[in-house]
Amino acid sequence: MRGTVLAAVAVTTALTLAGCAKDSGAPSGGGNASGSECKLAPKPPAAVASTTAAKTPEKADGSALKVGLAFDIGGRGDASFNDSAAAGVDKAVAELGVKKENVKELSAGPNEAESAKQTRIRQLASDGVNPIIAVGFAYADALKAVAPSFPNTKFAIVDATVEGATNVTPLVFAEEQGSFLTGVIAAYKSKKCNVGFVGGVETPLIQKFEAGYYQGAKAAAPDIKIAKKYLTPAGDFTGFQDPAKGNAAAQGLVSGGSDVLYHAAGASGKGVFTAAKTAGVSAIGVDSDQYNQKTVEQERDVIISSMLKRVDVAVFDYLLAVAKNDLTKLPKVFDFSVGGVGYSTSGGKIDADLQAVLEGYKAQIVSGQIKVSDKPTS
């Protein structure tokens, strides 16, 4: 999704001049009026092969840990966000000696009151569970209320920072970096030089996905048209659980000419995939390798890649740090440099040539030659 230093300057200019269609689903940007494939920017230099020896896995004794997982809606088995967190704990069981019987999991319910989240966290802490990992930014207020009452308990939260709570470790990601690469993929795969983005809820977190996607697409094809549609405004989290709305939004983007759709819409993404299959266009998944998810296997043929958000890596690294009693070396942000985000190649839609382009852009992001914004330009 990106270019050289000179190209990055051009991208910045393009981002300033080109707007995204907000909510209407109408295409935006300079665009290719002919509706043909994009005129692509020069490919980035090939990534230099690493000569560093493979990192030796760190070891620590986690047998004394009593691990708590406070899941978001869906819990273990959701084939997405929660399962990724669970995989990190499972790895800690296998490699750090955490005992299965010392892992306690509780899940959120649909449309539950805020007090239910506080009760869940308080229950785990009162039972002597330590550390406790809250999966999702929806737990931020609950931790702010509960964590100070348990100063000797270590907490972590995925996708949020809890200000003033010194015993709460944020596990946050550079979603904009991974999304930059999905933008590059979209630009290379579009036959109309017109792509779209579906966001579940218009929050700063989901806007990071949008911002990276936009910048990556523009880096790869400066004249590309980019449209967007959010399903619900901030505060209304039903946008993550409404496939019908995702389907309608995707249909609107396709009607506007988009032939590659990237979603960051949770369970609503199934509707995006269904619309893409019906219309004969391509789609890009999010968080986990959605090509291999049972819940969308009927639509898998349209999924050309997914932006990987490695919650499993963050959860395992956090538990490793707790087992070593040293949180100071834990990454502040899980980005490309620590394997916190990436892209999938399942399904064979990302060939070797395109993968070389993606790795070239990725190398420039890691080196700092390309700075990926975490905020939309419009």
Side-chain angles (χ1 to χ4, degrees), residues 187-280:
Y188 271 73
K189 291 294 185 177
S190 177
K191 293 180 172 59
K192 297 181 178 180
C193 204
N194 185 328
V195 300
F197 172 79
V198 178
V201 182
E202 195 165 10
T203 63
L205 173 63
I206 303 305
Q207 287 175 329
K208 290 170 70 177
F209 293 83
E210 176 201 338
Y213 182 65
Y214 187 87
Q215 189 176 344
K218 284 289 182 180
D223 291 333
I224 196 168
K225 294 181 179 180
I226 306 167
K228 68 177 178 181
K229 177 70 178 178
Y230 281 93
L231 305 184
T232 56
D236 180 359
F237 295 107
T238 62
F240 291 130
Q241 304 168 54
D242 196 333
K245 249 180 199 175
N247 187 292
Q251 287 185 45
L253 293 173
V254 172
S255 295
S258 297
D259 64 353
V260 181
L261 305 177
Y262 173 43
H263 88 86
S268 301
K270 179 173 174 57
V272 176
F273 294 143
T274 301
K277 182 167 184 176
T278 300

Side-chain angles (χ1 to χ4, degrees), residues 74 115 122 159 171 199 212 225 259 280 288 307 365:
S115 59
R122 194 178 298 278
D159 280 348
L171 304 177
K225 294 181 179 180
D259 64 353
S288 57
M307 197 286 280
I365 291 172

Side-chain angles (χ1 to χ4, degrees), residues 30-263:
N32 184 332
S34 68
S36 60
E37 292 183 7
C38 293
K39 180 179 179 181
L40 298 171
K43 294 179 181 179
V48 178
S50 175
T51 57
T52 306
K55 183 179 177 183
T56 303
E58 293 187 65
K59 297 293 183 182
D61 182 7
S63 60
L65 300 183
K66 295 183 177 180
V67 179
L69 271 174
F71 286 123
D72 203 347
I73 297 169
R76 184 187 281 266
D78 74 341
S80 187
F81 199 65
N82 291 309
D83 263 3
S84 188
V89 174
D90 292 345
K91 184 177 179 182
V93 170
E95 297 185 15
L96 303 180
V98 174
K99 298 175 182 175
K100 280 189 177 180
E101 60 268 27
N102 285 343
V103 176
K104 187 167 185 178
E105 301 175 356
L106 299 175
S107 296
N111 302 314
E112 67 180 14
E114 173 61 27
S115 59
K117 292 180 176 60
Q118 293 189 26
T119 298
R120 189 173 303 115
I121 297 294
R122 194 178 298 278
Q123 178 184 338
L124 289 168
S126 297
D127 288 345
V129 176
N130 188 12
I132 297 169
I133 301 164
V135 185
F137 63 83
Y139 282 99
D141 289 343
L143 281 173
K144 188 171 185 177
V146 175
S149 300
F150 298 90
N152 296 321
T153 299
K154 293 182 174 66
F155 298 89
I157 181 169
V158 177
D159 280 348
T161 297
V162 181
E163 299 294 342
T166 57
N167 56 334
V168 179
T169 299
L171 304 177
V172 295
F173 300 81
E175 292 93 351
E176 69 279 7
Q177 290 187 357
S179 295
F180 186 106
L181 292 188
T182 68
V184 174
I185 292 170
Y188 271 73
K189 291 294 185 177
S190 177
K191 293 180 172 59
K192 297 181 178 180
C193 204
N194 185 328
V195 300
F197 172 79
V198 178
V201 182
E202 195 165 10
T203 63
L205 173 63
I206 303 305
Q207 287 175 329
K208 290 170 70 177
F209 293 83
E210 176 201 338
Y213 182 65
Y214 187 87
Q215 189 176 344
K218 284 289 182 180
D223 291 333
I224 196 168
K225 294 181 179 180
I226 306 167
K228 68 177 178 181
K229 177 70 178 178
Y230 281 93
L231 305 184
T232 56
D236 180 359
F237 295 107
T238 62
F240 291 130
Q241 304 168 54
D242 196 333
K245 249 180 199 175
N247 187 292
Q251 287 185 45
L253 293 173
V254 172
S255 295
S258 297
D259 64 353
V260 181
L261 305 177
Y262 173 43
H263 88 86

Side-chain angles (χ1 to χ4, degrees), residues 3-14:
T4 61
V5 176
L6 186 58
V9 174
V11 169
T12 303
T13 303

